């Protein structure tokens, strides 16, 4: 009986150490990926694409909004000459005006109904997508819902 208690104690101590080691390794991997993201974003994207989702869950990879990146690390924006905040380059695609159709309208009304049911009655008198946007804005800006 005493020998059995020692086995259980050793087993739980051993499994606790294994869990701690696994957590430490995950943290180290996260930190290494964060450093890679800061210094070579394109390589980070290639590495993250290789790792997720088949090798590690996406939630274990760092997100760009969680990693402070210095100026010049991302090459997507041109540097302004007057010291202003850099902007994303303009889209080169032709402007297209959205045209409603009956199916889109029905599906949007149905979706807005479900949004209203799942947000404790948040609704908007505005029609269409603008009303849906107002519903979302109202829901997310209400301190009782966040």
């Amino acid at each position: 009986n005493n020998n059995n208690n020692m086995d259980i104690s050793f087993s739980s101590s051993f499994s606790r150490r294994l869990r701690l080691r696994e957590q430490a390794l995950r943290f180290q991997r996260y930190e290494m990926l964060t450093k890679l993201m800061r210094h070579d974003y394109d390589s980070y994207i290639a590495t993250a694409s290789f790792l997720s989702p088949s090798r590690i869950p996406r939630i274990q990879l760092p997100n760009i909004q969680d990693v402070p990146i210095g100026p010049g690390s991302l090459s997507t924006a041109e540097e302004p000459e007057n010291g202003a905040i850099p902007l994303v380059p303009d889209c080169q695609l032709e402007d297209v005006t959205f045209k409603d159709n009956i199916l889109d309208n029905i599906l949007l009304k149905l979706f807005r109904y479900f949004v209203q049911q799942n947000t404790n009655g948040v609704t908007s008198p505005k029609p269409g997508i603008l009303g849906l946007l107002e519903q979302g804005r109202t829901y997310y800006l209400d301190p009782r819902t966040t």
Side-chain angles (χ1 to χ4, degrees):
N1 194 13
N2 191 21
N3 201 16
N4 207 10
N5 286 340
M6 278 187 11
D7 287 344
I8 292 172
S9 174
F10 175 76
S11 175
S12 69
S13 172
F14 183 73
S15 64
R16 185 171 56 86
R17 279 187 272 151
L18 281 177
R19 282 193 309 272
L20 287 173
R21 176 137 174 90
E22 182 181 3
Q23 288 174 344
L25 289 171
R26 283 185 181 172
F27 179 76
Q28 186 178 16
R29 177 180 62 205
Y30 188 90
E31 289 300 308
M32 290 171 65
L33 289 168
T34 299
K35 284 181 185 177
L36 181 60
M37 181 188 287
R38 279 192 194 115
H39 297 291
D40 188 351
Y41 187 71
D42 293 333
S43 293
Y44 167 77
I45 293 296
T47 303
S49 298
F50 171 77
L51 291 174
S52 181
S54 61
R55 290 169 182 80
I56 63 173
R58 173 64 185 95
I59 197 157
Q60 293 180 9
L61 295 174
N63 287 319
I64 194 164
Q65 71 267 17
D66 299 328
V67 178
I69 298 196
S73 296
L74 299 177
S75 60
T76 58
E78 295 179 17
E79 292 293 323
E81 295 177 16
N82 62 359
I85 297 173
L87 300 175
V88 176
D90 287 339
C91 178
Q92 301 298 315
L93 297 175
E94 184 179 318
D95 284 342
V96 176
T97 303
F98 179 75
K99 296 179 181 108
D100 287 340
N101 65 46
I102 187 91
L103 180 60
D104 287 334
N105 290 334
I106 291 170
L107 291 175
L108 183 59
K109 283 184 183 187
L110 184 64
F111 182 70
R112 286 191 61 187
Y113 170 79
F114 287 128
V115 169
Q116 182 179 359
Q117 297 302 309
N118 290 293
T119 58
N120 297 323
V122 174
T123 188
S124 167
K126 291 183 180 177
I129 193 72
L130 295 177
L132 178 63
L133 292 173
E134 187 172 285
Q135 279 178 273
R137 191 177 307 114
T138 302
Y139 180 76
Y140 282 112
L141 294 178
D142 185 346
R144 294 171 293 173
T145 60
T146 55

